[in-house]
Amino acid sequence: MMMMKRAGGYLLQNLVPSLSSLSSSTMLHGSRVALGRSPWIEAMKQLQSRSLSHSKDEDSVEDFNKELESIFGAPLASPSQLGTKNPRPNLDIQQRIQSVFDANPDMVNKVIHDDENIAAPEMHLSHVDISGKAAMVNVSEKTDTKRMAVATGRVLLGPHAFALVAANSMSKGDVLTVAKIAGISGAKQTSNLIPLCHNLLLSGVDVSLRLHEATHSVGIEAKVTTIGPTGVEMEALTAVSVASLTVYDMCKAVSKDIRICDIQLESKTGGKSGPWSRDQS
C-alpha cells in the first residue's frame, strides 16, 4: 500500500507539473498540437491536489485508486492478479484457488465445494511443483503396466471438399491414407511436441478415418497402447490432432471453410487412477 502511495505521489509530483507548464498549444516536429484542454491533464491535476492533500492519511490510497479507476475505466490489478516474484510454496490447492478468485467468494465456493476432485486434498496438477513452476513428473518409482488410450476428433469439410475426398480426387493424393500415416507418426513424436511428456516406447498405434456424408465430415479415432510407467492419453490426442491437420492441409486448396473440432479423450485404462470412459463419466 505504501509503495503504491509513494509511487503514485512521485508520478503526480513529477508528471503533472511538467504537463501543466505546457501552454494551450505547443509545436511538435513542426505541427501544432493542442494540450491545454486535454481531459488527461485536467484529471491528473485533480488527482495531484487530492493525493497531496491526503498524503498522510492511509485512506487516501483507496481514494487514489478509485480516482484512477474512474479515469482508466477499470480497477487496478491486485497483487494476486499480477503475481509475485517469490511464489508462496506452502499454499495448498484451496488457498491457491482462493488467491485466484479473491474478488469473487461465490466462485471460490463453487470451484472448491462443487467439484469433489478439486476439493480432494490429494488432487493436484502433476506438472506443477510446490512453488508453482512447471516440472516434468518423475516416473522412475512407478510400476510398468499395460496402458491404453482412445481419442477422437472430427474435420468438417463441407460438401465440395467432402465429395473430392470421397472420390479420392484431391490433387495432393489420397487424403485418408496420408492422414492415417501422419497420425501414427504424430503419436510417436508426442514427447518432441509437448514439452513435459515422457518419451514412451509405444506398443501400438491404430489410427482410423471414416467419412460421414450426412455432416460432410471425416471422423478420426486413434488408439494407442504401451507397457510403461505413465499413460498414453497425450499420444492418442496428438495422433488425432496431427491426422486432422493433415486432412486440412490436403484439402485447403479447395475450401477455406474447413473446421477441426471435438478432439477429445474417449477412454483410458491402466495406471493408478484405473480405467476411465467418457460414456461413464
Side-chain angles (χ1 to χ4, degrees):
M1 294 286 285
M2 290 302 297
M3 184 178 296
M4 182 185 297
K5 183 176 179 181
R6 292 172 182 173
Y10 177 83
L11 174 65
L12 295 172
Q13 292 177 30
N14 290 275
L15 177 61
V16 176
S18 62
L19 293 175
S20 303
S21 63
L22 295 174
S23 61
S24 60
S25 63
T26 186
M27 297 298 295
L28 179 61
H29 299 295
S31 300
R32 186 170 297 275
V33 181
L35 292 175
R37 296 183 179 180
S38 169
W40 167 259
I41 294 179
E42 295 301 324
M44 292 299 288
K45 288 179 179 179
Q46 294 179 20
L47 287 180
Q48 181 190 35
S49 61
R50 296 187 187 184
S51 177
L52 294 180
S53 64
H54 296 84
S55 60
K56 295 182 181 181
D57 187 350
E58 288 296 329
D59 293 337
S60 64
V61 176
E62 182 178 356
D63 295 334
F64 179 75
N65 289 338
K66 290 180 178 178
E67 292 286 356
L68 289 180
E69 181 179 348
S70 68
I71 294 174
F72 294 105
L76 293 176
S78 65
S80 63
Q81 293 170 307
L82 296 175
T84 58
K85 287 186 176 181
N86 300 314
R88 293 169 289 177
N90 295 324
L91 285 180
D92 60 25
I93 186 169
Q94 295 190 15
Q95 289 175 310
R96 289 181 184 275
I97 294 172
Q98 179 74 48
S99 67
V100 172
F101 296 106
D102 57 357
N104 191 342
D106 291 337
M107 181 62 72
V108 175
N109 294 332
K110 180 175 179 59
V111 172
I112 293 178
H113 300 298
D114 292 355
D115 193 324
E116 59 182 6
N117 291 328
I118 294 180
E122 69 274 7
M123 296 297 293
H124 61 279
L125 298 176
S126 59
H127 288 294
V128 178
D129 64 19
I130 192 171
S131 64
K133 298 179 180 178
M136 188 173 187
V137 178
N138 187 342
V139 297
S140 59
E141 301 299 325
K142 292 187 176 182
T143 304
D144 287 352
T145 60
K146 184 177 180 180
R147 300 167 183 267
M148 180 272 296
V150 177
T152 59
R154 289 193 303 154
V155 183
L156 305 179
L157 296 174
H160 181 48
F162 180 85
L164 293 175
V165 172
N168 196 16
S169 300
M170 280 292 179
S171 60
K172 284 192 173 184
D174 187 343
V175 174
L176 302 184
T177 299
V178 174
K180 177 184 178 75
I181 296 172
I184 295 172
S185 299
K188 295 190 292 184
Q189 295 296 320
T190 299
S191 62
N192 292 329
L193 299 172
I194 312 298
L196 301 182
C197 280
H198 295 83
N199 187 5
L200 300 177
L201 180 62
L202 303 181
S203 302
V205 180
D206 181 22
V207 178
S208 61
L209 296 92
R210 294 181 174 84
L211 295 173
H212 300 283
E213 186 175 3
T215 56
H216 301 117
S217 65
V218 179
I220 304 174
E221 179 180 281
K223 178 181 179 181
V224 181
T225 57
T226 190
I227 298 177
T230 189
V232 286
E233 293 95 325
M234 292 307 303
E235 283 71 14
L237 289 165
T238 301
V240 173
S241 300
V242 174
S244 299
L245 288 169
T246 303
V247 171
Y248 187 100
D249 177 64
M250 299 282 285
C251 302
K252 69 180 187 294
V254 300
S255 176
K256 298 296 187 290
D257 194 35
I258 300 171
R259 287 192 293 135
I260 297 172
C261 59
D262 300 334
I263 295 177
Q264 60 190 24
L265 181 69
E266 296 294 343
S267 62
K268 55 86 63 178
T269 61
K272 182 180 179 180
S273 61
W276 177 88
S277 174
R278 183 170 296 278
D279 294 336
Q280 300 176 359
S281 62

